[in-house]
Every structure is written in structure tokens, then in C-alpha cells.
Amino acid sequence: MAPQSPRADKRTLIINAAVAVFAEKGFLLAPVSDIANRAGVADGTIYRYFKNKEDLLLSIFEQKMDELLVGLGEALARIDDPIEKVRRFALFHFQQVRDHRDAAEVLQVELRLSTKFLKEYRPIKLWAYLGVFGQIVREGQSLGIFRGDIDPFIGMWAFFGALDELAMQWVLSRKQDRFPLELAAEQVAGIFIRGMLVHQDPSPEEAP
Amino acid sequence: MAPQSPRADKRTLIINAAVAVFAEKGFLLAPVSDIANRAGVADGTIYRYFKNKEDLLLSIFEQKMDELLVGLGEALARIDDPIEKVRRFALFHFQQVRDHRDAAEVLQVELRLSTKFLKEYRPIKLWAYLGVFGQIVREGQSLGIFRGDIDPFIGMWAFFGALDELAMQWVLSRKQDRFPLELAAEQVAGIFIRGMLVHQDPSPEEAP
Amino acid sequence: MAPQSPRADKRTLIINAAVAVFAEKGFLLAPVSDIANRAGVADGTIYRYFKNKEDLLLSIFEQKMDELLVGLGEALARIDDPIEKVRRFALFHFQQVRDHRDAAEVLQVELRLSTKFLKEYRPIKLWAYLGVFGQIVREGQSLGIFRGDIDPFIGMWAFFGALDELAMQWVLSRKQDRFPLELAAEQVAGIFIRGMLVHQDPSPEEAP
Amino acid sequence: MAPQSPRADKRTLIINAAVAVFAEKGFLLAPVSDIANRAGVADGTIYRYFKNKEDLLLSIFEQKMDELLVGLGEALARIDDPIEKVRRFALFHFQQVRDHRDAAEVLQVELRLSTKFLKEYRPIKLWAYLGVFGQIVREGQSLGIFRGDIDPFIGMWAFFGALDELAMQWVLSRKQDRFPLELAAEQVAGIFIRGMLVHQDPSPEEAP
DNA sequence: AATGAATGAGAGTTCATTCAT
DNA sequence: GATGAATGAACTCTCATTCAT
């Protein structure tokens, strides 16, 4: 097997291999030696770059969430309308899932589990990601677009849950059964936007 | 309490113990002997009632989902208004989470793992549970209350994802940090109902 | 291999195997699987009887020291003369070394090491064994036989060190090079007895 | 301090580091990389100066025993009286232990292990050290001071064992529990000297 | 000479499952 | 039916040693 990227350093090699193996078998069922094999290094080498298996998982969280946050920032850059931001958020999320399936699987499944068995770990980066949605809600509320009785905290978890669950279903379904992710993005965004709007009546003020 | 039938007793004993242990440690990290201890039976006895550890987990799903489905049926009985049904669904779901925390944790966290790694298993009962929401959407659409462009399939997963994620956050958060579940139910139901309504104009017709 | 004793239970089987293996390779260099093999049990079985490898070593200490203490008690029973007691102590010690070579090796080498790397462990039983010598010294001092300026604490460690070192040399030397243990016992006892006596002049009180 | 020769420097650096690390963790539990770290060299460098970890330990023995032998020679220089020599020997030994604790620990504890498990190695230097005591005994016997029935071989091991055991107890005990080493030296020397003397009274009869 | 990243064999330990009682 | 002692494969992780630079 040729190296995955010409200049991939060992650490990246291992992270990529771990993402693939964790996605396939799950963290707890994935032997470290599988990761080593896939990365083309010896078992012991992994421990030069990561304290232990758990640290490897956490490093993946950190790195992938960093990338996700950067991507989200770009996707929302120069968008002012909170409504449009919600749409872009949903679309961005599903695009990530499609383009980085393995990473998405690991983040979705293992990050969730990890809050249970990695007692120490607080997924701060995840909160930052979600917090973007919470912030959009608050902006919309200040602008009088979204209803003031929406709790941004509950709203952001509900939104994320909806995205995450659909992403999971998409990931888990067989290729031929898959719904178009753009449709899912549109539907979820549509429901949440309309669900949060102050009102949608025919009176002439909705559009400026 | 009079023992029902000795067999039913042991089986129930084991299931209840397993729910508690799986909730605490997670399926993969829970030793079968812990379950046996807690159930007050020998390790080997578990294998008289369940083929193996995995079968025990699946049996929990089946049984708990059965109970859930019955409960949901009762919660929605004699309600005709789809809007009210959505409200009751959300409320029922959160009540279950609060009243059966361990079972909820196992269903939420471990079921998610299982659908990924226990390749054989199809969580039909879960689909039935969700399908109720899908059916409500379709009813609302036939009645002209919900917009026809809502995809019931996507809608039901989004709704479930929102409920599930909030339930997870509630379950995982420390007692003092918990938001009121009734509020969460009201918020999620509110967003989805308004999000799916044909229109919500100010005229006094909200209830027919 | 037939079981070492017709009714040896598993625990005894494992202890005996461990004594042999530890004596041969030393605690740290002895794989648990070697012990299991020699005991004729599976590796895992050892962990039903002992918490871990260290606990196994400690259990050997406790058991063998118990046996040693009982034996020493018997060897000194009904002896009143402190001088004779010292002789019997030395002889008893060397007899034990000869008759239980493996156990002696483990006690000598590993017990000593253990004070270094088993931070928790205090070899109380060893102190009890030595304490017998200290007590003999004190008796002799009360009777006016041994000099009052002998420090029983220092004396007992010196005596034990002398016995232990000679035992070690005997154990380590090849068969043909071995000195007679009875001679060693007599010599060490002789040196310590004369070394502690108040005086050995010709006045009529030395022999009764 | 001016660097002597660069090579000698590194070798000494490594030996000193190894003494400290072996004393702290024990030979088998001490990672070579710990020694390298403490010496301020790379792991691989150690293998330029020593064949392997075992060779490093053995080199420490050789070097420290050489120093010990030189020191012992000086301590006994110009002393003629065998009795006084025994006293000086004991005192010298304990002074070394106090002044070179780490080295003493390694010599005492690890040397003991090594004679057992490093089958090849014969601690010739240790024999030379002890042999000095054996020689003192023989001198005393020729001079008619020490009893002829003392076996110098057994005597020297007994003497060394007594010194070694007390040194070990001193080294292992906590600071506040330590007995004065000078007292120990005096006691041990006293016991052995009196224990070996032909007689200590004015009258001529003990030996026939 | 010196480095230190890489190796990979081998360690202790766990635990789902079996089966003789 | 019920037991629980026994199994042994499989796991994570360590570390002495090598060797390309």
C-alpha cells in the first residue's frame, strides 16, 4: 500500500487510519493493531504519538471538530440573514457528512458514547459548533424575526438532534435507499425556520 | 408481591439488572457477571434465558419498545387533532425518559451503537414508534393542516432526533443543570407544529 | 503430569507452581502463563484465586512465613536455655532452606526486593520470625547470660543477615561445592553466642 | 569541573544516572530511556557505551566494587591488629552505605538478583571484598587471637550478611526510624570479634 | 559519535461462554 | 433448572534494542 498522501506524517497517517477503523468497528471493538496495520506502522508506534487508545479518539474529536468549525465559519461568512444562516448550516452539516463519512460516523456515534464512558471529557468543540446555531437564534430574536419565546439552548440541541439523526440514517442506509441530503437539509431548515418565525401571515411585512 | 411464574420472574430480574448495568457502564463495558450479580443469579443462568449478551440487549429493546408503544398508544388515544397529537407525543417521550432513565439511556445510547455494529438487527419496533409521528404528519396533511411539501419520513427522523438529543442531554446533565422536560416538550412541539403548519396568520382560527 | 497431591486444591496447586517458577526465574521475569502451565490450569484461573500476580507473591509470603513460624515455634518448644535456643534457631533456619529450597529462594530474594517495589507491603510475618531472636536475646539479658549492651534490634538483623546470606550462598552454589549446612549453623550460632555472652572465664558458673 | 575526556564524561554520566534510576526503580523496572533522560543523552547512545542493559548493571558493579576495594584498602592501611581491622571494616562498610546510598542499594539489592538470574556473572569483585575479611580471620588465627575452629569462608559470609542486612534495613527505613550506623558498626564488630576470640578472660583454659 | 523514531515481541489481565455437577 | 469454576482468546500497552540519518 502506498502512503495515502505523499507527505503525510505518521501522526496524520495514524489519525486517518483510526478514523476509518473506528468508523467501521466502533471505538471499543477496534483493536489498536488494526489501526496500526492500516496506517502501515507498528503497534507501538501509535503510542509515540498518542498516550493511549482513548487519547487517539479524543485527538480525532479535537482535530475533526476544528476542521468542522473552520468550515462552518466559511459557510456562514458574509451571510447576514439569520434565516439564510439556518439553511446554510443545515446544508453544510449534511455536506460534511457526505464528504467525510468516516469522520462523521466517528463523531456521531463515538462522541456520543464518549460522554458516557470518558468521564473526564467535555466535548467543548461540539458545544462551540452547536453554539453557532444558538447564536443565530439569538440574532434572529434581536432582529424580531424569530419568536422571543424560543429557548436558544433547547432549540440548538433540537436542531442538532434533527440534523444528526438524519445524518445517521443516511449513513446507515444502503446506497440505493438514500434520500437526497439536499432535500433533508431543505426540509429540516424549513421546519425550524418556520417553526421559529414570529409569524408567517400574508400581511405585507415579511419581505422588506 | 407474589411471584408470578418462576421463569418469568428470573427473566424479568435479569432484564432489569441488565438495564441498570448497561445504563451505568454501557453495553460493551458491562461484564455479564455484573448483571448476574445484580440479578441475584449465577452467570450461567443468564444463558438459559438469553442466547448471549447481545441477545440480552436486543431483548431489552424489544420489551422496552413494546411497553413504549403501548404507552404511546394510550397517550394518543381519543386525540384527534394532529397538532395536539404532536404535543402529546413530545410530552410522552420526555416523561418516559424521566420515569425510566436507565431504560432511556440504554435505548438511546446503546441502540445507536447496535444499529451500527450488530449488523443483523433491524430496530423494527423503533420504526413503529417513529412511524406514529409519520402517520400524524400524513393525517395533518390530509386534513390540510400541515403543508404538503413536508416529507413525513424526513420529518419523523428530524422530530425523533430532536427529542432524542434533548433527552440525551437531560439524561447526561447533572441534576442541578437540568432544564424542565415539560419546557423542552413544549418547545420542540411548538417548533415542529409551527414549522409544518400550512400558515399561522393572525386570524382567530388556530383551533377549528 | 499427575497432580502433585491427590487432593491438592487449585489454590495450592497454583501456589506451589508459583513458588517453583518464581524460584527459577524471579518474580518479575516469570510470566504468569508459566505458572499456569506448571499448575496445569488456564491463565485465567489464576485470577480466580489471586487478584493479580503481585497478590500471588504476597500470598506465598504469608503462607510460607506462617509455616515457618509454626515450625520455629515447634523447634524451640520446651527449650529454656537462650544459648540452646540460638543454636536451634540457626539449625532450624538452615534445615528449612535445605528442605524447601524453592520457597527459601523466593522468600530470600523476592521478599527483599518486594520491600522496594511493593511500596504498600510490610513484611510483618518476617518481623515476627526475627522477633523471636530478639526475644531470645532479651531473655538472655534478663538472665544475665548475654551482655546488656547488645541491642536486640541490631542483633536480630545481624543474625538474620548472617543466616540469610549463608543460605543464599548455599542455594546458589553448585551441589559439589556446598558446605554442610549443619556446620554453618554451628559456626553462626557459635559466633553469635560467644559474641553475646557476658564473659566466658573459667569461674565455675559457665557449666551448670 | 573541567570535562576530563568527552568519552569518559558520557560513560560516567550514564553510569551515575543508571545508579540513581536502578536505585529508585530496581533494575528490571527501570526503563533504559529513564536512564538516558537523566544522563542527558539519547537512548541509543547508551548502547555505544554498554552492550545492553545488563552490561550496564554489571559495569556499575565492577566500577563501584573497584572504588569500594580501594577505599577498604585505605581504611585498613597501617592497621595490624586483626581485631581493630574487623572494627574498621564494619565502620567502613556502613560509611559507604551512608555516603553512597544509591550505589549501596544497587549493589545490595540488584547484585543479589543478578547472582541468581544473570547466570553467567560471577561477582568476583564482591568475593575480593569479602575475602579481605576472610584474610583477617586467618591472620587472627595465625596470631592465636581468633579460634582455630572458625571457618573463614563461613565466617566471611556471615559477617557480610550481617553488615548487608543492617545496611539494607537502614537504607529502606524512613529517616526518622534510622538507627545510628556507628552503633550498628560497633555492635556487629563487637559480636563477631568476641565471637571469634580464643578467649576473653585472663585464665588459659578455654582452648585445650 | 550521537540521535531518537520505529519496531514488535511479549507482558498482565479481562470476560463471554461452556459444561460437569 | 441452576450453578459457578474454568477456560483461553484477545485485548492494551511497554520497552530493550536497532539503524538510517
Side-chain angles (χ1 to χ4, degrees), chain C residues 12-26:
Chain C
T12 307
L13 230 42
I14 292 168
I15 288 231
N16 290 344
V19 167
V21 175
F22 288 157
E24 190 196 332
K25 302 197 171 183

Side-chain angles (χ1 to χ4, degrees), chain A residues 23 25-26 105 109 112-113 115-116 147 149 151 157-158 161-162 164-165 168-169 187 191 194-195 200-201, chain B residues 22-23 105 109 112-113 116-117 147 149 151 157-158 161-162 165 168-169 172 187 191 194-195 200-202:
Chain A
K25 302 197 171 183
E105 271 193 72
V109 179
R112 191 161 293 220
L113 264 186
T115 42
K116 275 203 66 180
R147 298 202 330 274
D149 63 346
D151 182 320
W157 281 112
D164 191 43
E165 187 67 49
M168 172 87 73
Q169 292 309 318
Q187 290 265 324
I191 290 172
R194 285 192 178 80
Q200 301 161 278
D201 56 331
Chain B
F22 287 159
E105 255 192 88
V109 181
R112 198 165 280 233
L113 252 195
K116 267 202 77 193
F117 303 114
R147 298 202 330 277
D149 63 347
D151 181 318
W157 282 113
E165 187 66 50
M168 171 91 68
Q169 292 307 319
L172 294 180
Q187 292 264 325
I191 290 172
R194 281 186 236 265
Q200 302 162 277
D201 57 327

Side-chain angles (χ1 to χ4, degrees), chain D residues 2-144:
Chain D
Q4 314 194 319
S5 110
R7 265 200 109 249
D9 245 6
K10 280 253 164 78
R11 199 189 138 91
T12 307
L13 234 40
I14 293 168
I15 289 229
N16 290 343
V19 168
V21 174
F22 288 159
E24 190 196 331
K25 303 196 171 182
F27 173 71
L28 286 169
L29 291 161
V32 170
S33 61
D34 275 21
I35 298 167
N37 279 344
R38 186 178 260 264
V41 301
D43 295 20
T45 304
I46 289 181
Y47 291 85
R48 302 212 141 269
Y49 293 89
F50 304 94
K51 195 155 67 69
N52 51 33
K53 195 182 173 190
E54 189 177 313
D55 179 44
L56 174 52
L57 178 64
L58 264 29
S59 300
I60 291 174
F61 291 161
E62 299 297 309
Q63 173 162 329
K64 295 300 171 187
M65 287 308 301
D66 278 344
E67 294 170 17
L68 211 55
L69 275 167
V70 169
L72 182 64
E74 289 167 0
L76 301 185
R78 276 184 296 280
I79 310 291
D80 290 325
D81 180 14
I83 291 175
E84 184 59 16
K85 280 186 177 173
V86 171
R87 279 208 182 82
R88 301 270 180 131
F89 195 128
L91 193 59
F92 172 79
H93 190 86
F94 286 131
Q95 280 167 344
Q96 293 303 309
V97 168
R98 180 177 48 208
D99 298 345
H100 309 285
R101 272 200 53 181
D102 282 355
E105 254 191 271
V106 175
L107 259 47
Q108 282 165 31
V109 181
E110 307 303 336
L111 179 56
R112 198 165 280 231
L113 253 195
S114 318
T115 46
K116 268 203 76 191
F117 303 114
L118 314 183
K119 302 288 185 186
E120 321 292 79
Y121 183 64
R122 304 282 72 195
I124 294 171
K125 298 275 169 60
L126 175 63
W127 297 342
Y129 185 70
L130 291 184
V132 172
F133 184 84
Q135 197 49 43
I136 296 171
V137 174
R138 274 184 219 94
E139 281 173 40
Q141 290 175 323
S142 325
L143 295 170

Side-chain angles (χ1 to χ4, degrees), chain A residues 41-59:
Chain A
V41 301
D43 293 24
T45 303
I46 290 182
Y47 292 86
R48 292 195 59 76
Y49 292 90
F50 304 94
K51 199 155 65 68
N52 52 33
K53 195 184 171 189
E54 187 177 315
D55 180 44
L56 174 52
L57 179 63
L58 263 31
S59 300

Side-chain angles (χ1 to χ4, degrees), chain C residues 10 41-42 44-45 48-49:
Chain C
K10 284 265 160 64
V41 301
T45 302
R48 292 196 59 76
Y49 293 90

